[in-house]
Amino acid sequence: MFATSSSRANPPAQSLRNPRRRQRTHSGENGLSMPRAKRQRSVLSEDTFTPPPQPSMNGSAGGTGKVHRSTLGSKQMVVRESKKLGERGNKVDPGLVLTKNSNYIVTQLPALPDRIRNRPDDDMQGALYTDATPGYALALTPTTAFVWPYTTTISSPETFTFDIPHPSKHHGDPLPLGSLVYSSATPTDIGLVIVMPTTGMITFWESASSAALDRSRQSRHSLEGSINGMYSSESVEQIMRAEPVGFILRLNSGRIVHLSLRDSQGRPQISTHVLSKHQTNAGGLFGGIKSVFGAASWRRDIVAVRAGRLSKQLDREFLVISSLGDLQTWVIHRGGHYSLKGESNARDVIVSASQDLMDTRDKTFEVLDVVVVPSERQDFDVVGDGKLKVVALVAFLSRIRTTYVLARLEVGLGVVAVEGIHRIRCYEQSLDGSSTAPRVLLPLPGNIAFIVFSRAIVLASVAGPSHPSEQQLFGEAHSGSLPFQDVVDFRDGVKAEIVGCGTEDSLRSGTPDDDEHSSRAKFKNPGCVVLVKGFGIIRMASLLPAPGNYTAEIGTLSAKSKIEQAIFYGTGPHKLLNFAGRPELQFSTQEVESAAIEISQDILTSSNKAIPVVTPSLDSQMRDRSTAIRNLAIYLQSTGLDLSRTTRWRLLWDAEKLAASRAVWRLYDRTLKYKNSQQQDDDKMEDDRPVADEETLLLAITKYLPKPSKTEARPEVGEVDPVRHWFIRDAGKIEQLLGWAFEALIVKAEQGIHDATATVRFIGEADDIMIGALETAFKFRQENAALYCLPAESMAQGLYVQGEEYEGLPEFWTSQSDLPGIIQQLIEIAQSSINESWQKKPSPEVAEPQLVEKLRADHIRLIDTFFSASTEYYRYREAQNDELVRNVGYKAHQEFIESRHNLILNLLPMGLLEKGLAIAEAYKMTETIAIMLLFCIDVVSERQNKGLTDQDTQPVVLDVNARIDRYFEMFGDEWANALFSQLIEQKKCGPLMSNFTRWQPHLTKFLESHQRYAKLSWINAVLGEKDYYKASTTLLGLGGPEHNLWSQKIETSISKLAVLAAAEGSQSETVDNVLADSSNLYDSKFTTIYVQEMIWENVQPVVEGAIDEDARVQLFLEAVEQKYTTGKPKVEAMLEGALAKVVKQQCLSKTELINTLTSMNCYAQPDAPNPLAGTEFYHALRVVYTGNWESEFPPKTLERIVWRRCMLRDDWIAINNTLDKEDETQERLARGTALFATLAEGYEHGMWEDPTRGQPLSPEEVFDAGCDASDLGDHYPLELRALYAGDMRREAQELRELIDKGRLSEWFIGLKLVARQTAEARQESRDEREQQRQELEAALRSDNPPAPWQDGFDPRDEDGDVNMH
């Protein structure tokens, strides 16, 4: 245990004055000064102030204790007059602030002996005394005692060092106990008493200062004695000051010993008496035996002995309490007599009262400490039954945790009443087994309690009645309706332990004992001081107001308060206190979020009391604020709380704004330095240029800003610098400052500032503001996103790579609505100024070269800033759910793509090619890079045209080639697309094919991947790849149907030639197989081309007289009789479209070609030659049967439609009517039908020799062709297919009528037979003529040619003409 001046008695209120005013009582546990009364001065002088005699009686005249000063305290201790000491006592040395909030402050006091500071691991215990000024600290080690004034501001104070007599020889024995003793003759002088716990040896120095000053007679300043009747198994555990009657010693056996250091005449003398409740000061053998047996009844775990009240007769009351709650009240009379005033037990009443706060079942009850409630009057009636008010610290122990309560008790004669119970909510850590037992301190005015554990101090309000509903409120532990509590504890891993403590009473005004001669230490706020082994002395002072005056911040334990302590004090050099938070003090995530945002705003506005407003260096002040806001992020990250994404972003934005503001301030400070240096230069204006405007742009901006964008300065209190004031108070509004950067230029221009140099300087300052803020912000965001638990890996240069990451977030301040536009305007005006003055001869219209050069150097950074802000602007809006906002983002995206391209290209006239390429690379602007590199190539060509040698141009060429290589590695296909597309767009196809063979694989891949470049691709296949087969396949599939029929014919022909070239000389079976497979493909291609040419021959005579292409189409549509499409709108529309293509010589698809052949009237111009006459359906079937089918309708459906339209072409009802018709006429009509002509042509040309290819279809087989939309494939939309199917159903109805009324089915069978016979007869005729021709040729080659018409040979053909073959 350690002895302190912490407890005080509670005197009756009616005692207004103490008749013994000048007596310094130095009470053991409270240290209250005695009331002053002059009429009793003689009594006090006789009993107390008699000069102390030489040690005698139980003391040893020649004590062995040594006293000396520490080496660093070699100067003589100066004992000042009482008045001066009193004046000094009213001052509180602040020391180093370890933590502070609205409720308390914790400081480290500087005074500490060097020997203790340099040996932090030594075993030690001690106490601190505030009974007089200055306050003293006592530290005891196994061999040495140290006494020093702890309130001094000197880090190495004057220290009294005492060698302890008869130190313990056994390691592990208890440390010596000791206490300061204030001298009766000189209140400012102190004495020292030391008790050895195991031996009971007592050493007393009456005056430490006298012993220090008189080193030659130091042995005469100490007394030695021992505890009478102490057994070998006993040891002293506590020494308690009970002045003026002496000290109380507590033994481990449970016995209580009264120690007196003076005799009845006030002379130094050591005497001890064991207190017994069965005997009052009985002497002799029987008295001693009774004392032992009497103590046996009290042989239990006594935890504390505390001093109580002081009577008018200077009798001291003290309290003894056990761990089970047993209480004894004793009185020690001034003559040395004692009496037991009363006994009681508080366990049951405390447990009963605590049941409203917790479940006390299965918990062990244990009292840890007790303290008497202090009062301004400490007298009491010894014979009366005045009740004593105390506060007990009680622990309820369980296996899981320990719950502490403070019980406010009223102790009477045998009765204990509970006035209030306060559960300690902020600290529930189990006792750690330390030798330092918990203490409860209750400084005046007694409404704040300090509970001192070995590694923690709890501050708890105990004013007023306890809350019966505290159990229900415990779930809201931070509610202001509960008494205030908080804890300050040590970090884990720090070797520190509290080994002593003391109470500091608050300063009281208007009381009789607060005169100028008072030597008692007074403090502004109640508090406690503790001695921490390995660290020093710590003071914890309460800042709480009187009960009932609490506010939202004061008297309330809030998340904001705890976080502020962590960020402002948790990173100090001491590293002693724990700021990570205790498990008992947990705040909700919402509370932490609100507190964090509020603290962040306080830092931005310098509103927190921990942030100084007026400092010599604003940059240092902003640096400290940046550190605080970073500490906030680190603390929040350490808590592990899952803060909302919006909150994390808001906190990051605040940090960005502060970093950006600091960057702008630094640039502004640099501008001021340059400006001031220029003003000091007398020769700076050698020409006649006008002097530039002295006002800086930033100063102008702070003046122009409207009130919502700034905090108004108060000149009446010294706030005369609007720029500094803005950075101190309005850093969180920097986005509004940026918005005014361009507006300020406009205002300056309107004010008539037309000087080129001044204009460039202002533009440069605007660039500095914009670049400094946004560059810093984006960089800070990229580097610190992880600190705010935001995925930095999903960002690039401070921007989310994926736009959807912006969904659900508030608008970003770095790309607020009008900021990108403002930056773009600034870029344009800066570009204009650079072009007007760069590399121009000096003149009034040209700005100073160094300013222009700076503006030019910063221009690329300004563009980069614009790119970042614009990219964030459109990405954010494209990710929102509001369609209108998304549309704004889409539009902004397109505008940005267009504008950024031009901005980079505008750098070329400024000589910023390299920097332009760098930023284009960063944003993957491959098209822009391609244009710039081609510009370099053009420059090389121009140089060569001017006669420069290859040696002059080679470095540029090599650099371009190296860049192209690097860009292929960086961007891959994207770069190939940009470079080669740009070459084609600039019509540099020749150089593309000849000068880029170095990148042949990339060129081939590019051309082959873009169908629109197929015409170049086949050339590249021939020239670059030397692959004829690839060239043929490329030509064959050029860009879908080639629009021009002639071009398609030529490309198909070249393709076939390329295949033949590939096969020539090749022995590869693969090439031969490919050649064989491609034969049908080319036949199909040429067939469709041939058929369309035949249609054109049918059209050409009609449109020869037209003046233009549109007129040709109109003439042909008017000439063609479209009777076969009447009532069929979709068929008619398709026909008209196809005929227009025919006239324009455009290629038809197979469906269009078949529809044209089967729907148009080929007999509209009977006088014109018509190669299609009678064979249009045959040619339509040829198109159907060709391979490589690519058409809108399925081939089977088209085949059936061709047959059906072929049958509908003639009037079979009329043909079927054979009445009065001779066979010749009937045969002529039947042979003249389209059906017969188609069948005959097919049989004649062997169309149906292959059954798998196709066969003539009967009317029943083609009746419903295309009548259902599903039969028409899926090329066209369903609606169009449904309309076309309607036309097909009309054709089906017409065919059904022919079948039913014209016996078309029967006619089909007969015509099919006749057509085959006709085809066979024609074939026989052709074979016969061929044989005759061959015979004639053979005869002509012989010597004897046959006579004309020999053997029936007739050279004339069927028409009578001579066959020349």
Side-chain angles (χ1 to χ4, degrees), residues 919-1178:
I919 191 173
E921 289 176 14
Y923 283 88
K924 299 181 179 180
M925 300 169 58
T926 53
E927 181 182 355
T928 306
I929 296 174
I931 294 175
M932 299 178 81
L933 287 185
L934 293 178
F935 171 78
C936 292
I937 295 174
D938 292 341
V939 170
V940 172
S941 300
E942 183 178 353
R943 290 181 178 181
Q944 292 175 343
N945 293 334
K946 291 181 179 179
L948 297 178
T949 63
D950 293 341
Q951 184 177 0
D952 298 326
T953 59
Q954 190 65 20
V956 180
V957 176
L958 291 177
D959 179 67
V960 171
N961 292 339
R963 283 184 177 274
I964 293 176
D965 289 337
R966 183 159 60 90
Y967 292 147
F968 274 118
E969 295 177 1
M970 291 176 59
F971 307 123
D973 294 340
E974 184 178 355
W975 167 240
N977 294 343
L979 176 62
F980 299 139
S981 297
Q982 196 57 229
L983 283 165
I984 295 172
E985 184 177 337
Q986 295 183 15
K987 299 180 179 179
K988 297 179 180 178
C989 297
L992 174 66
M993 294 298 173
S994 59
N995 299 337
F996 285 82
T997 55
R998 177 176 179 176
W999 303 284
Q1000 186 64 48
H1002 295 286
L1003 177 60
T1004 300
K1005 184 177 180 181
F1006 164 75
L1007 294 175
E1008 291 179 355
S1009 61
H1010 294 79
Q1011 191 65 28
R1012 63 181 179 276
Y1013 299 140
K1015 291 184 178 180
L1016 292 175
S1017 180
W1018 78 267
I1019 298 176
N1020 175 70
V1022 173
L1023 298 179
E1025 300 292 318
K1026 309 301 182 182
D1027 189 341
Y1028 296 101
Y1029 178 71
K1030 181 185 291 186
S1032 68
T1033 55
T1034 302
L1035 283 166
L1036 204 58
L1038 278 179
E1042 176 63 51
H1043 291 307
N1044 187 271
L1045 182 62
W1046 181 87
S1047 297
Q1048 187 179 54
K1049 183 177 181 180
I1050 297 302
E1051 289 162 1
T1052 305
S1053 301
I1054 296 175
S1055 175
K1056 189 171 184 179
L1057 288 175
V1059 171
L1060 296 175
E1064 184 178 358
S1066 175
Q1067 303 299 325
S1068 172
E1069 295 182 359
T1070 302
V1071 175
D1072 294 338
N1073 294 334
V1074 170
L1075 184 61
D1077 294 338
S1078 63
S1079 177
N1080 294 331
L1081 177 62
Y1082 288 112
D1083 291 343
S1084 173
K1085 283 277 188 180
F1086 284 121
T1087 297
T1088 55
I1089 294 172
Y1090 171 70
V1091 171
Q1092 186 167 343
E1093 286 180 339
M1094 293 177 65
I1095 297 176
W1096 167 243
E1097 292 178 7
N1098 186 60
V1099 171
Q1100 188 175 10
V1102 180
V1103 299
E1104 283 182 348
I1107 60 175
D1108 56 22
E1109 194 172 74
D1110 293 336
R1112 293 192 194 98
V1113 173
Q1114 188 62 32
L1115 286 175
F1116 184 61
L1117 292 177
E1118 292 175 355
V1120 174
E1121 185 179 357
Q1122 302 179 25
K1123 62 179 180 179
Y1124 306 114
T1125 61
T1126 303
K1128 303 164 190 174
K1130 290 305 300 178
V1131 175
E1132 182 176 5
M1134 184 180 290
L1135 175 61
E1136 292 179 355
L1139 292 177
K1141 287 185 176 182
V1142 170
V1143 173
K1144 296 177 182 179
Q1145 288 289 282
Q1146 295 177 354
C1147 295
L1148 300 180
S1149 67
K1150 289 189 174 182
T1151 300
E1152 290 176 327
L1153 186 58
I1154 291 170
N1155 188 69
T1156 302
L1157 289 170
T1158 58
S1159 301
M1160 68 176 290
N1161 181 12
C1162 295
Y1163 306 100
Q1165 298 293 334
D1167 298 335
N1170 191 349
L1172 287 177
T1175 61
E1176 57 269 33
F1177 294 101
Y1178 164 73

Side-chain angles (χ1 to χ4, degrees), residues 720-738:
V720 295
D721 188 344
V723 177
R724 289 178 181 265
H725 183 74
W726 187 93
F727 282 102
I728 292 173
R729 297 297 186 186
D730 301 310
K733 303 174 183 177
I734 189 171
E735 68 276 13
Q736 300 180 36
L737 180 78
L738 299 180

Side-chain angles (χ1 to χ4, degrees), residues 641-905:
L641 293 175
D642 185 16
L643 303 182
S644 68
R645 188 161 170 255
T646 300
T647 298
R648 284 178 276 140
W649 267 110
R650 289 189 183 279
L651 295 174
L652 177 56
W653 289 337
D654 288 347
E656 292 171 6
K657 291 179 179 180
L658 189 55
S661 298
R662 187 182 178 195
V664 173
W665 167 255
R666 286 181 168 182
L667 292 170
Y668 175 71
D669 191 48
R670 186 183 66 185
T671 300
L672 289 180
K673 289 180 181 179
Y674 174 78
K675 175 181 172 230
N676 294 334
S677 65
Q678 290 294 97
Q679 290 177 349
Q680 295 173 3
D681 187 359
D682 296 333
D683 300 328
K684 67 171 184 175
M685 299 298 295
E686 296 180 354
D687 52 16
D688 296 332
R689 297 187 185 185
V691 179
D693 189 351
E694 296 183 355
E695 185 182 58
T696 63
L697 185 69
L698 189 57
L699 177 60
I701 293 173
T702 55
K703 291 180 179 179
Y704 300 153
L705 280 172
K707 289 184 178 181
S709 301
K710 66 180 178 180
T711 302
E712 289 293 333
R714 297 171 298 170
E716 65 275 9
V717 296
E719 297 174 350
V720 295
D721 188 344
V723 177
R724 289 178 181 265
H725 183 74
W726 187 93
F727 282 102
I728 292 173
R729 297 297 186 186
D730 301 310
K733 303 174 183 177
I734 189 171
E735 68 276 13
Q736 300 180 36
L737 180 78
L738 299 180
W740 271 85
F742 183 76
E743 293 295 331
L745 293 176
I746 302 300
V747 174
K748 285 292 183 182
E750 292 175 351
Q751 292 176 351
I753 300 176
H754 302 297
D755 176 60
T757 298
T759 300
V760 170
R761 179 169 62 84
F762 283 133
I763 296 174
E765 291 183 31
D767 284 0
D768 286 344
I769 294 172
M770 198 70 70
I771 295 170
L774 294 181
E775 264 191 3
T776 303
F778 285 118
K779 181 180 179 182
F780 184 93
R781 182 183 302 168
Q782 184 67 42
E783 294 176 350
N784 294 273
L787 182 61
Y788 291 83
C789 299
L790 295 168
E793 62 276 4
S794 62
M795 294 183 186
Q797 300 178 357
L799 305 175
Y800 272 131
V801 177
Q802 301 297 328
E804 57 268 16
E805 295 285 351
Y806 289 101
E807 184 179 359
L809 292 175
E811 185 179 12
F812 281 52
W813 73 273
T814 46
S815 58
Q816 61 181 358
S817 298
D818 54 348
L819 186 57
I822 292 174
I823 303 174
Q824 188 171 11
Q825 290 177 316
L826 188 58
I827 291 173
E828 292 173 356
I829 193 174
Q831 177 183 327
S832 176
S833 297
I834 294 171
N835 291 334
E836 290 175 0
S837 299
W838 186 55
Q839 293 183 341
K840 300 293 178 63
K841 293 181 180 180
S843 68
E845 291 77 20
V846 176
E848 294 181 3
Q850 64 270 26
L851 294 178
V852 177
E853 192 58 37
K854 177 186 177 298
L855 192 65
R856 174 176 169 270
D858 290 340
H859 194 66
I860 192 70
R861 297 171 59 198
L862 186 64
I863 292 177
D864 191 17
T865 301
F866 168 70
F867 284 6
S868 298
S870 299
T871 302
E872 185 178 80
Y873 178 87
Y874 75 74
R875 285 181 182 174
Y876 171 81
R877 281 155 181 78
E878 288 178 346
Q880 304 310 305
N881 294 326
D882 191 330
E883 185 177 357
L884 295 178
V885 176
R886 287 200 307 271
N887 291 336
V888 171
Y890 298 149
K891 181 179 179 182
H893 191 177
Q894 297 303 318
E895 293 175 351
F896 170 65
I897 292 175
E898 297 175 3
S899 62
R900 74 176 185 177
H901 177 75
N902 295 328
L903 288 175
I904 297 299
L905 294 182

Side-chain angles (χ1 to χ4, degrees), residues 560 564 568 597-615 617-626 628-629 654 658 661 711 714 719 723-733:
K560 180 183 178 184
E564 285 178 333
F568 289 110
I597 292 175
E598 187 175 352
I599 292 171
S600 185
Q601 289 296 314
D602 289 345
I603 295 173
L604 285 179
T605 57
S606 302
S607 301
N608 194 286
K609 295 180 181 179
I611 300 175
V613 176
V614 180
T615 58
S617 170
L618 179 57
D619 183 65
S620 298
Q621 194 256 12
M622 299 185 76
R623 179 196 60 205
D624 294 341
R625 289 157 65 191
S626 299
I629 211 165
D654 288 347
L658 189 55
S661 298
T711 302
R714 297 171 298 170
E719 297 174 350
V723 177
R724 289 178 181 265
H725 183 74
W726 187 93
F727 282 102
I728 292 173
R729 297 297 186 186
D730 301 310
K733 303 174 183 177

Side-chain angles (χ1 to χ4, degrees), residues 204 339 360 438 449 522 679 713 888 977 1117 1126 1165 1264 1267 1340:
F204 170 50
S339 61
T360 59
K522 304 296 193 309
Q679 290 177 349
V888 171
N977 294 343
L1117 292 177
T1126 303
Q1165 298 293 334
D1264 58 350
C1267 294
L1340 290 175

